[in-house]
Amino acid sequence: MPASPRITLLLFAFNQIELVEAAVRACFAQEGESLDILLSDDASTDGTWESLQTLAAGYRGPHQVRTRRNAVNLGVGAHYNAAVADCVGQLVVTA
């Protein structure tokens, strides 16, 4: 099994269905060493979560892609803390 990527690219989303696809595709387009891309949703109610799952499932590329979702909306600070706890990279880049 290959080593875990050194960098986690963490994308946060909450009720951003109009923007989430472009944001995820920008994450997927990153060049360089393989990334751990974590798409994190804060209990969206507008289809954002479903879009994140669909995009992750369809990704074919060099990066590792994972999704996570909070059971309830935590707000910015608590969402950040919960998502960072799921990061595997030595460095975390947030978007």
Side-chain angles (χ1 to χ4, degrees), residues 9-86:
L9 174 53
L10 178 54
L11 177 74
F12 291 95
F14 173 67
N15 285 347
Q16 295 169 311
I17 191 64
E18 298 86 12
L19 305 172
V20 75
E21 182 175 353
V24 170
R25 293 202 184 281
C27 292
F28 291 170
Q30 297 305 300
E31 296 180 2
E33 68 181 78
S34 178
L35 301 171
D36 169 50
I37 298 175
L38 180 56
L39 308 175
S40 184
D41 180 67
D42 197 14
S44 292
T45 58
D46 69 346
T48 295
W49 170 240
E50 293 79 8
S51 182
L52 290 175
Q53 289 181 298
T54 299
L55 290 161
Y59 176 72
R60 303 291 178 265
H63 307 302
Q64 296 177 14
V65 178
R66 301 178 294 124
T67 59
R68 65 169 306 283
R69 183 180 199 209
N70 298 324
V72 296
N73 182 269
L74 300 178
V76 175
H79 181 194
Y80 179 84
N81 291 336
V84 166
D86 287 339

